[in-house]
Amino acid sequence: MAQFWKPGAEKPQLLDDEEGGVLFVFSSAFSSSSSGYGYASIEKQRQRLPVYKYRTAILYLVETHATTIIVGETGSGKTTQIPQYLKEAGWADGGLVIACTQPRRLAVQAVASRVAEEMGVKLGEEVGYTIRFEDVTDTDKTRIKFLTDGVLLREMMDDPLLTKYSVIMIDEAHERSISTDILLGLLKKIQKRRPELRLIIASATIEAKAMSAFFQTRRRRAVESVEPPLSMEPAILSVEGRGFNVQIHYVEEPVSDYVQAAISTVQLIHDKEPYGDILVFLTGQDDIDAAVKLINEEARNGGKNSSGLFALPLYSGLSRAEQELIFSPTPRGKRKVVVSTNIAETSLTLEGIVYVVDSGFSKQRFYNPITDIENLIVAPISKASARQRAGRAGRVRPGKCYRLYTEEYFLNEMSAEGIPEIQRSNLVSCVIQLKALGIDNILGFDWLASPSPEAMIRALEVLYSLGVLDDDAKLTSPVGFQVAEIPLDPMISKMILASNQLSCSEEVLTIAAVLSIQSIWFIERGIQKEMDEAKLRFAAAEGDHVTFLNVYKGFLRSGKSSKWCYKNYINYHSMKTVVEIREQLRRIAQRLGIVLKSCDRDMQAVRKAVTAGFFANACRIEPYSHNGMYKTVRTSQEVYIHPSSVLFRVNPKWVVYQSIVSTDRQYMRNVISIDPSSLTEVAPHFYRQQGPIF
Ligand code: ADP
Ligand code: MG
């Protein structure tokens, strides 16, 4: 059982209790005030939110300032209320639209449906949302639109000045997603051309001053032709929260398995603490599903202290029905445990949470321009994140946060802030989007935080070899513009374009759809053997991409049956998404003049198309390797085929992969065997400088 001690105490002291678990208490400095949460009409609920007291102030600032920065604790009502206030004040009159961006798709869907409910309108009419591959808006009716920051960036390709919007609220700015950072730079430019456009930058914690300095330039003068005069100086408003006290508990010794530690902590809370729901922060679908299953099994088997306990997962990619369960009130006499990624850190507010269990980790993207490898890594969170997570326990009444790391670690080793995503990402997509918007000097762009020149050079190199950029680093026509038009990773887009000449676009569109979701396999711990056997029914000698084609065919043949998926350990929800995405890609491909053709059984063509997109990720097996070690052709990095791949242990001589995940080793995901001669054929510039490689 995890043990916790009181920070500030000289030494961890043990206080005995019958379970051997030790609890010490520490009151942190979270402010407290305000009344509890009860059942009330929606209108009453709205008025109780902290942001309500600032309604007039917000509307005044937005009217008189081009940019308003609003900082307020999670749950204070920024996302759901401010767009409604703006609408009530007339900002959506005359056919204009109020936009509110979020970094995460799931948050977009959740807040849009909440706001539609509050306004008593049908989602997709007055209030709508757009995420990639899903547009739930109505061109004539939608006045408040929630969208991902990535989608707003794409909209700029068709409408560079974003003329249909009167106010754009960039929400969750503290997350510093790559698209948020790009948007902030571009919006600043747009404001020069469209001073009437209002920006709201909202966040849970930002150094509002840095953001304000970014939007402040000496050249910015007030616009005095309007009444009242419009100030170009950013305004800053801070919304006083109403969080309750949160006691923080730390473990005494570092834990080795945070999933196990999280589960025993949940049990400990359930055992010892009065009613109130529990929010557990883990890192991704795998560990979350595992924890949910273990908690529920324990409860079902009538574990001595687990009655009344039930667990639900929360991560992006959940179906609508699953999302609704998360938000629905916990039945009397029950205790809900939501096991979440960091999406519940600030993007979503769950009512009824009193206890938080913080693993101290999240999945983060890291890119190394030297090796040219981008990894998703389970990495330690920052102090700022840890504070946010703890704050989630104090929404309803005083709460408790259990940190699965030591206080010493928190104080001395955790970094204060996270690194903006732009400084730890592969920049290929970013460069192509800026180029498509006519921004040529990307290093000279007005960045909130500059990306590294090495990463930029790598991206230019890849885009040049993909034929997307020419010698002057301008988008090529038509390939460059076409790749920019397809809302996918440029490597996938290039693969689609290549399929046209190779007459295998039908197959490649399916592959592209599968590569743009997380996984089509049903993942569950403990049934590895059954899952592997099921996979073998579809496995193709060429590799994962062709295997996906077999699964897709089988799914269609079954009449898109959920039973069929269940039987074959395939994720039904993912397959439905694949079908939808494929349909949208088919439309885009047709618009780009790609002829839809099938190559039937000629998998050579499919392999070549994949190579045309992913040649930069080519790897060769090490001669005499006994453990399946590969080296990347470009940078000689040691990599291995991921155990989930159908080529695991098959180890063909040459492969290309889609992405790398690293745990104990660097593993290639989605791998296909290739013919090395096609590398020089599809990317002569890229592989010529490397010298003879074969
Ligand atoms: P902020 O953006 O400041 O973090 P929100 O506007 O997202 O705050 O949330 C304000 C309040 O609205 C929450 O405290 C919660 O009570 C309520 N709320 C938001 N989304 C939902 C939802 N999907 N279901 C029920 N209540 C919700
Ligand atoms: Mg919010």
Side-chain angles (χ1 to χ4, degrees), residues 78-79 171-172 346-347:
K78 301 180 299 294
T79 312
D171 203 355
E172 302 283 311
T346 61
S347 306

PDB file of all heavy atoms in Angstrom, residues 78-79 171-172 346-347, ligand 2:
ATOM      1  N   LYS A  78     -14.648  30.184 -17.797  1.00  0.00           N
ATOM      2  CA  LYS A  78     -14.102  30.898 -18.952  1.00  0.00           C
ATOM      3  C   LYS A  78     -14.642  30.341 -20.271  1.00  0.00           C
ATOM      4  O   LYS A  78     -15.191  31.066 -21.094  1.00  0.00           O
ATOM      5  CB  LYS A  78     -12.566  30.806 -18.961  1.00  0.00           C
ATOM      6  CG  LYS A  78     -11.886  31.365 -17.736  1.00  0.00           C
ATOM      7  CD  LYS A  78     -10.368  31.226 -17.823  1.00  0.00           C
ATOM      8  CE  LYS A  78      -9.858  29.808 -17.934  1.00  0.00           C
ATOM      9  NZ  LYS A  78     -10.104  28.976 -16.733  1.00  0.00           N
ATOM     10  N   THR A  79     -14.456  29.050 -20.463  1.00  0.00           N
ATOM     11  CA  THR A  79     -14.767  28.458 -21.760  1.00  0.00           C
ATOM     12  C   THR A  79     -16.264  28.438 -22.059  1.00  0.00           C
ATOM     13  O   THR A  79     -16.685  28.773 -23.167  1.00  0.00           O
ATOM     14  CB  THR A  79     -14.237  27.012 -21.796  1.00  0.00           C
ATOM     15  OG1 THR A  79     -12.893  27.017 -21.329  1.00  0.00           O
ATOM     16  CG2 THR A  79     -14.283  26.453 -23.194  1.00  0.00           C
ATOM     17  N   ASP A 171      -8.186  29.627 -26.212  1.00  0.00           N
ATOM     18  CA  ASP A 171      -8.359  29.125 -24.856  1.00  0.00           C
ATOM     19  C   ASP A 171      -7.223  28.176 -24.500  1.00  0.00           C
ATOM     20  O   ASP A 171      -6.553  27.655 -25.384  1.00  0.00           O
ATOM     21  CB  ASP A 171      -9.706  28.399 -24.778  1.00  0.00           C
ATOM     22  CG  ASP A 171     -10.244  28.328 -23.354  1.00  0.00           C
ATOM     23  OD1 ASP A 171      -9.539  28.742 -22.426  1.00  0.00           O
ATOM     24  OD2 ASP A 171     -11.372  27.848 -23.191  1.00  0.00           O
ATOM     25  N   GLU A 172      -7.014  27.940 -23.224  1.00  0.00           N
ATOM     26  CA  GLU A 172      -5.978  27.012 -22.760  1.00  0.00           C
ATOM     27  C   GLU A 172      -4.601  27.428 -23.285  1.00  0.00           C
ATOM     28  O   GLU A 172      -3.778  26.594 -23.645  1.00  0.00           O
ATOM     29  CB  GLU A 172      -6.275  25.587 -23.242  1.00  0.00           C
ATOM     30  CG  GLU A 172      -7.611  25.037 -22.802  1.00  0.00           C
ATOM     31  CD  GLU A 172      -7.614  24.587 -21.362  1.00  0.00           C
ATOM     32  OE1 GLU A 172      -6.705  23.859 -20.958  1.00  0.00           O
ATOM     33  OE2 GLU A 172      -8.517  25.001 -20.626  1.00  0.00           O
ATOM     34  N   THR A 346      -6.728  20.717 -17.117  1.00  0.00           N
ATOM     35  CA  THR A 346      -7.372  22.035 -17.197  1.00  0.00           C
ATOM     36  C   THR A 346      -8.475  22.105 -18.241  1.00  0.00           C
ATOM     37  O   THR A 346      -9.307  22.995 -18.194  1.00  0.00           O
ATOM     38  CB  THR A 346      -6.364  23.163 -17.541  1.00  0.00           C
ATOM     39  OG1 THR A 346      -5.783  22.874 -18.810  1.00  0.00           O
ATOM     40  CG2 THR A 346      -5.296  23.307 -16.497  1.00  0.00           C
ATOM     41  N   SER A 347      -8.488  21.206 -19.215  1.00  0.00           N
ATOM     42  CA  SER A 347      -9.434  21.354 -20.331  1.00  0.00           C
ATOM     43  C   SER A 347     -10.869  21.059 -19.938  1.00  0.00           C
ATOM     44  O   SER A 347     -11.792  21.651 -20.472  1.00  0.00           O
ATOM     45  CB  SER A 347      -9.080  20.412 -21.473  1.00  0.00           C
ATOM     46  OG  SER A 347      -7.762  20.583 -21.861  1.00  0.00           O
TER      47      SER A 347
HETATM   48 MG    MG B   2     -11.766  25.988 -20.033  1.00  0.00          MG
END
